[in-house]
């Protein structure tokens, strides 16, 4: 609420709000990932593999399903289909993961699931959506060469892997598998910054909602409902199929049940497709999550 007041009444604008978001996504949360993962044993890490598979299916698989429905049922072009699907599938895990899941299971216990979500979103989902949207744009132009497509694909993947939300957990996981642990002093140093994640992240969500205006439309409402209702229901079925234990099922469902991502809405702006709809869907899903998240917690936790 404090973040919403700060955004709505002008203490923050879009530029300064981006600074708060940068603090969370590029510094505080990656620091928390490194400290949490590098204090985890290899055996404990490997026990998380079924959860990782579930998150991959529940996020990237959901994106692909919505993409196909938009393309072949609703006859959207490829770029619009990709933008719509991305905003329906990408959760605000970076801003709400630690505050919500950490309060239920403890910040240390949820570091790996949230880190895996970061890898799935930043290293796989976003590059895939950008590539498909770009292909859609390119198909409307003449003279587009195959070399430019592959160059664009490589750049998109490398950009996703270079994002701290993907790079920090990925490198940390590789080190854990190699048997590397973090000294106590290193943990304390990183926790100085990482411990700010919860409060600053929720404040940033409030600011982002406060500075945006709602313009209701059917696509915006559709994106929001897919995000906070349909995707969590699908994740529940995936968790049952994979055989996740109860605590990991709750983590998986909540990680995809968080509101839509401001980053996904920014990608819509980049392609100049459904800009108002995706920005509105972000706000609507954030408001709806005030109802949906407590219900999901009550049913699963």
């Amino acid at each position: 609420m404090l973040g919403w007041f700060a955004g709505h009444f002008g203490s923050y604008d879009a530029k300064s709000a981006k600074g708060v978001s940068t603090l969370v996504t590029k510094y505080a949360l990656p620091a928390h990932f490194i400290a949490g993962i590098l204090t985890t044993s290899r055996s404990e890490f490997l026990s998380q593999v079924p959860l990782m598979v579930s998150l991959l299916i529940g996020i990237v698989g959901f994106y692909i399903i919505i993409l196909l429905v938009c393309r072949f049922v609703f006859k959207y072009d490829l770029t619009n289909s990709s933008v719509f699907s991305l905003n329906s599938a990408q959760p605000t895990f970076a801003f709400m993961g630690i505050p919500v899941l950490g309060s239920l299971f403890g910040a240390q216990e949820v570091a790996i699931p949230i880190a895996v979500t970061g890898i799935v979103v930043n290293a796989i989902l976003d590059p895939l959506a950008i590539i498909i949207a770009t292909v859609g744009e390119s198909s409307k132009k003449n003279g587009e060469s195959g070399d430019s497509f592959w160059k664009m694909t490589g750049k998109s993947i490398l950009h996703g892997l270079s994002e701290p939300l993907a790079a920090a957990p990925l490198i940390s996981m590789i080190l854990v598998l190699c048997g590397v642990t973090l000294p106590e002093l290193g943990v304390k140093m990183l926790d100085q910054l990482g411990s700010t994640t919860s409060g600053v992240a929720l404040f940033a969500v409030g600011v982002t909602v406060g500075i945006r205006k709602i313009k209701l439309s059917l696509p915006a409402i559709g994106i929001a409902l897919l995000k906070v209702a349909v995707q969590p229901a699908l994740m529940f079925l995936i968790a049952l199929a994979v055989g996740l234990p109860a605590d990991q099922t709750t983590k998986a469902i909540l990680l995809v049940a968080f509101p839509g991502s401001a980053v996904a809405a920014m990608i819509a702006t980049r392609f100049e497709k459904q800009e108002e709809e995706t920005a509105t869907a972000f706000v609507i899903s954030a408001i709806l999550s005030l109802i949906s998240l407590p219900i999901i917690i009550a049913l699963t936790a």
Side-chain angles (χ1 to χ4, degrees):
M1 287 299 297
L2 186 61
W4 181 84
F5 276 109
H8 187 72
F9 292 106
S11 294
Y12 286 87
D13 57 16
K15 185 176 180 180
S16 55
K18 185 178 180 181
V20 181
S21 299
T22 299
L23 170 62
V24 174
T25 58
K26 293 189 181 296
Y27 298 97
L29 190 54
H32 177 78
F33 284 162
I34 295 170
I37 295 171
L38 288 181
T39 53
T40 303
S41 66
R42 184 188 304 175
S43 59
E44 185 179 350
F45 172 76
L46 292 175
S47 70
Q48 303 284 325
V49 170
L51 176 61
M52 298 176 190
V53 173
S54 300
L55 287 168
L56 181 63
I57 298 171
I59 295 175
V60 179
F62 187 70
Y63 163 82
I64 293 172
I65 291 171
I66 302 302
L67 177 74
L68 294 174
V69 171
C70 288
R71 185 74 182 92
F72 296 107
V73 177
F74 294 103
K75 305 300 181 183
Y76 280 22
D77 63 42
L78 198 56
T79 303
N80 274 297
S81 296
S82 184
V83 167
F84 186 98
S85 305
L86 176 65
N87 280 272
S88 302
Q90 183 168 327
T92 313
F93 71 96
F95 296 100
M96 300 189 73
I98 298 298
V100 176
L101 290 177
S103 67
L104 293 172
F105 300 99
Q108 179 68 27
E109 291 293 320
V110 300
I112 292 179
I114 297 173
V116 170
T117 307
I119 294 172
V120 170
V121 167
N122 291 280
I124 301 175
L125 179 66
D126 283 349
L128 178 63
I130 290 170
I131 290 166
I132 292 175
T134 305
V135 169
E137 292 282 276
S138 301
S139 65
K140 299 176 182 178
K141 301 175 183 178
N142 295 322
E144 192 71 22
S145 68
D147 289 339
S148 64
F149 167 75
W150 291 112
K151 185 177 180 181
M152 174 271 299
T153 299
K155 283 184 176 181
S156 297
I157 294 172
L158 289 174
H159 176 74
L161 288 171
S162 69
E163 285 294 314
L165 285 179
L170 185 59
I171 293 171
S172 298
M173 288 176 183
I174 293 171
L175 292 174
V176 166
L177 292 175
C178 293
V180 177
T181 58
L182 193 65
E184 183 180 355
L185 178 60
V187 175
K188 289 182 178 179
M189 291 169 63
L190 290 169
D191 276 343
Q192 288 287 313
L193 181 59
S195 61
T196 66
T197 300
S198 294
V200 177
L202 285 183
F203 181 82
V205 171
V207 169
T208 305
V209 173
I211 63 177
R212 292 175 182 265
K213 295 181 180 180
I214 296 178
K215 187 174 181 180
L216 293 176
S217 66
L218 193 58
I221 295 171
I223 292 172
L225 291 176
L226 285 168
K227 186 73 219 58
V228 302
V230 178
Q231 192 179 19
L234 178 62
M235 178 56 81
F236 174 70
L237 297 177
I238 294 169
L240 287 180
V242 174
L244 293 183
D247 62 327
Q248 290 194 352
T249 297
T250 301
K251 293 173 187 175
I253 294 172
L254 286 174
L255 279 167
V256 302
F258 292 140
S261 169
V263 175
M266 291 175 191
I267 291 174
T269 301
R270 168 180 169 177
F271 286 98
E272 298 180 349
K273 302 289 184 181
Q274 304 183 53
E275 297 172 72
E276 289 185 350
E277 291 87 348
T278 54
T280 298
F282 172 82
V283 178
I284 295 173
S285 64
I287 295 170
L288 288 177
S289 70
L290 297 176
I291 301 169
S292 62
L293 289 177
I295 292 174
I296 292 172
I297 291 170
L299 292 174
T300 64

